[in-house]
Amino acid sequence: MTTLFHNATFYTMVAEGDRAEALVVADDGTLAFVGPLDEARRQAPDAEAVDLQGATVLPGLIDPHGHFGGSMQYVLYADLSLCTSFEDIQRVIREFIAARNVGPDGVVMATGYDQNELAEGHHPTKSVLDAVSTEVPILAVHASNHMAVANSLLLDMAGIDASTPDPEGGRYGRVAGTLEPDGYAEEPAAVNALYAVTQPRMNLDLNAIADDMQLVYLEHGITTCQDGATPASMAELLRGMAEGGKLKLDVVAYPMHGEDVDAMLEQYAAYDGPTYRGHLRIGGLKMFLDGSPQGMTAWMTEPYVSGPEGEDDWVAYGTMTDEDAIAFAKKAIDGGHQLLCHTNGDAAGDQLLRVYAAALDASDNPRKHELRPVMIHCQTMRPDQYERMAELHMVPSIFSSHIWYWGDVHLKNFGPVRGGRISACGDALRAGLPFTLHTDTPVLRPNLLEAAWCAVNRVTKKGAQLDEDQKVGVYDALRAITVNGAYQYGEEDRKGTLEAGKLADLAVLDRDPFAIDPAALRDVTVLATIKEGEQVYAHE
């Protein structure tokens, strides 16, 4: 049935200030008309009219980087995000075990602690978790998802002991003065050995929690999201959701380095490319080059001002050699795939720019300059690096929410100049780059309007004003989560703006983000989310 949406301010995002009075949605879920209400009624006299009661409408918001599979954490994991001490962590996990009746055959997954917010000022250890249980394996995952802590039982089950060496690109914490592991694991190279034990014990049934996982996105007006580091196990679960008709929004998956990506691309060939099947497609490949700035594992060219204890010249480390990174980037380019690369520190940024250029030179793909590679996070990128990105047709996807959530930590770790420049959207804009904004869900919930607020205001939790030269205006911030998001995915022909012929993906808001004080931008509420003309979320 044809539908006419009216009584709202429709910002098309085609140009700043461009708006319409009405939209007509065709039977196939595309926009048949965008413009004056009288003309909409003339063109679709029999359309079902939907009165939006004075709301403001943007194109459906586009999540340019996150981990859709990770949204299960909000449903299945103990939440440590409000913990301010080891005692809090123990209490939350004990309550979780009791509420879920977790026994020795099960597992406890907890997530969201941040050592920067704990009274003790450092990561917990196995002894903290052993005080909760030595009969149930427990894994507490850091808010960044780059570190985790296991209890003694889980370490034993994973075969991690004093004889276990640190893997390349990661490390295990050790009890002082010994090689005995203290439970701490840093970066995927080390943490994955723990996940190998815990994940099979979770007995995942994504179909059972599919609605809850998607609600995390839909309540924020998001109509396209990403699974930005897809292992083979998650690829199969996603396919099951797609084939079972469980997906309500578009999900773009990226098989990750370390998996047999060739086998994955062959097995899921039907999903590989620009066309969605059951709202799922493979968009490219993913690799990691460093860690987390708030965890002090982002790889820097200059030392942290306040590094780990006893590390006065700490710059952290990379996670891949140039040789391996070039080979993986070339695999992506040769196959016509977009490459996503996790890159927080500026040394890692230098490496990505270097290895991607080398891979381009080595590839014979005639369309190699059309693939729009993406630098993910970009927390400490320098102006010269943004200029180089433009030369490589690379898209910076900036984790702007760091400004609020960890800006104070970055000022401590990097000092006022480097810390003040974190998430430098202004430099990206001046370089002419179509930058995007993300929240790296499940590191943070996918509140893209808050991410835009961070880019516009650049204020930390403690009220510090970060480098104002890196601020962007409201239009450019919202463009980053609509127009530029569509461009990053190569979907600008069907998403990102409200124009005839594009998908009727809409975010319905309770107020006009362009008419309010920019400081109030993150207070805007999503009233409804519409995917291809169908309402898939309504605010209660």
Side-chain angles (χ1 to χ4, degrees):
M1 176 181 293
T2 303
T3 307
L4 187 156
F5 290 96
H6 68 102
N7 191 14
T9 301
F10 299 91
Y11 282 100
T12 69
M13 298 303 292
V14 172
E16 188 167 5
D18 190 47
R19 65 190 77 182
E21 293 182 317
L23 306 178
V24 176
V25 180
D27 294 345
D28 64 357
T30 62
L31 293 168
F33 175 81
V34 179
L37 177 58
D38 289 346
E39 181 62 23
R41 286 173 170 158
R42 280 194 293 271
Q43 291 202 18
D46 299 323
E48 177 184 1
V50 176
D51 186 337
L52 293 178
Q53 301 180 346
T56 297
V57 179
L58 293 178
L61 306 186
I62 296 174
D63 164 37
H65 177 66
H67 307 273
F68 172 70
S71 64
M72 73 175 70
Q73 293 184 13
Y74 298 117
V75 184
L76 301 177
Y77 289 22
D79 182 6
L80 306 180
S81 62
L82 299 180
C83 293
T84 59
S85 67
F86 291 168
E87 184 178 354
D88 278 354
I89 290 174
Q90 292 169 333
R91 174 184 53 78
V92 169
I93 295 176
R94 286 192 183 103
E95 291 174 353
F96 182 87
I97 290 173
R100 307 251 178 156
N101 195 29
V102 182
D105 292 336
V107 65
V108 172
M109 299 293 289
T111 189
Y113 86 84
D114 185 346
Q115 87 282 5
N116 298 295
E117 301 293 333
L118 299 178
E120 294 80 1
H122 58 83
H123 296 274
T125 62
K126 64 183 180 183
S127 62
V128 174
L129 302 184
D130 287 349
V132 177
S133 179
T134 57
E135 297 180 353
V136 176
I138 301 173
L139 185 66
V141 182
H142 186 261
S144 69
N145 272 14
H146 280 263
M147 306 98 185
V149 180
N151 66 349
S152 295
L153 176 59
L154 179 53
L155 289 173
D156 291 343
M157 295 172 70
I160 298 170
D161 57 26
S163 67
T164 305
D166 289 343
E168 183 178 344
R171 72 180 183 92
Y172 294 110
R174 311 287 176 173
V175 175
T178 76
L179 292 177
E180 178 188 345
D182 67 5
Y184 174 77
E186 187 174 276
E187 298 304 323
V191 179
N192 285 345
L194 301 171
Y195 283 140
V197 175
T198 61
Q199 288 183 343
R201 284 178 160 248
M202 294 181 67
N203 298 315
L204 291 175
D205 180 1
L206 258 60
N207 286 333
I209 60 172
D211 287 347
D212 290 330
M213 291 173 64
Q214 291 175 91
L215 179 61
V216 173
Y217 290 89
L218 297 175
E219 67 185 357
H220 292 297
I222 294 171
T223 52
T224 300
C225 73
Q226 183 182 109
D227 193 65
T230 309
S233 57
M234 182 54 64
E236 184 58 27
L237 292 170
L238 289 173
R239 178 169 67 174
M241 293 176 73
E243 292 183 351
K246 294 290 186 178
L247 293 178
K248 300 176 182 179
L249 74 168
D250 289 340
V251 179
V252 190
Y254 289 79
M256 65 184 291
H257 177 265
E259 297 282 321
D260 186 345
V261 296
D262 292 328
M264 290 176 67
L265 292 172
E266 181 178 355
Q267 183 175 357
Y268 303 105
Y271 295 88
D272 185 8
T275 302
Y276 289 91
R277 292 170 57 92
H279 293 294
L280 175 67
R281 74 179 183 89
I282 292 175
L285 303 181
K286 170 72 179 295
M287 69 181 187
F288 294 80
L289 290 184
D290 72 340
S292 156
Q294 70 270 38
M296 291 189 286
T297 56
W299 185 22
M300 305 298 298
T301 57
E302 299 178 29
Y304 287 74
V305 171
S306 177
E309 187 175 349
E311 298 281 358
D312 294 337
D313 58 351
W314 179 251
V315 294
Y317 50 86
T319 56
M320 293 179 69
T321 65
D322 274 20
E323 182 181 15
D324 288 345
I326 290 170
F328 193 75
K330 185 174 181 296
K331 179 189 293 289
I333 295 167
D334 287 347
H337 290 109
Q338 181 183 58
L339 178 71
L340 304 190
C341 186
H342 170 111
T343 313
N344 267 314
D346 67 331
D350 285 339
Q351 184 184 28
L352 175 58
L353 295 170
R354 180 172 67 246
V355 302
Y356 197 81
L360 279 175
D361 288 344
S363 178
D364 294 328
N365 183 347
R367 303 186 64 184
K368 60 187 179 182
H369 295 294
E370 302 173 15
L371 300 177
R372 302 177 187 175
V374 184
M375 182 183 287
I376 298 293
H377 303 326
C378 304
Q379 284 304 288
T380 60
M381 295 308 109
R382 309 181 306 265
D384 64 290
Q385 292 175 312
Y386 282 122
E387 296 291 345
R388 182 62 175 138
M389 281 187 230
E391 295 171 3
L392 295 173
H393 310 288
M394 186 175 287
V395 177
S397 187
I398 301 173
F399 195 170
S400 58
S401 299
H402 263 255
I403 294 165
W404 170 258
Y405 287 94
W406 294 287
D408 299 300
V409 175
H410 298 327
L411 289 172
K412 174 185 175 184
N413 289 345
F414 297 122
V417 176
R418 284 188 297 166
R421 287 193 68 261
I422 209 83
S423 299
C425 297
D427 283 343
L429 183 65
R430 285 185 286 272
L433 292 165
F435 70 92
T436 61
L437 303 176
H438 66 264
T439 63
D440 202 18
T441 301
V443 173
L444 296 172
R445 287 182 180 265
N447 188 345
L448 294 181
L449 291 174
E450 182 179 65
W453 174 86
C454 288
V456 169
N457 293 280
R458 294 187 62 80
V459 176
T460 74
K461 274 187 178 182
K462 293 183 179 179
Q465 176 66 68
L466 300 190
D467 189 344
E468 295 194 68
D469 193 44
Q470 300 304 330
K471 286 182 176 181
V472 296
V474 171
Y475 175 72
D476 285 313
L478 296 182
R479 185 178 174 87
I481 56 177
T482 54
V483 178
N484 294 355
Y487 176 85
Q488 179 184 302
Y489 283 123
E491 299 182 17
E492 66 270 26
D493 62 329
R494 56 193 184 277
K495 294 178 183 176
T497 59
L498 302 180
E499 297 180 86
K502 293 192 175 183
L503 295 177
D505 291 355
L506 313 175
V508 183
L509 311 179
D510 72 336
R511 68 197 84 172
D512 186 337
F514 297 105
I516 61 176
D517 185 332
L521 182 58
R522 71 170 173 180
D523 298 325
V524 173
T525 297
V526 175
L527 298 176
T529 303
I530 295 168
K531 176 64 178 158
E532 296 173 28
E534 298 292 328
Q535 181 171 289
V536 289
Y537 166 76
H539 180 68
E540 296 181 358

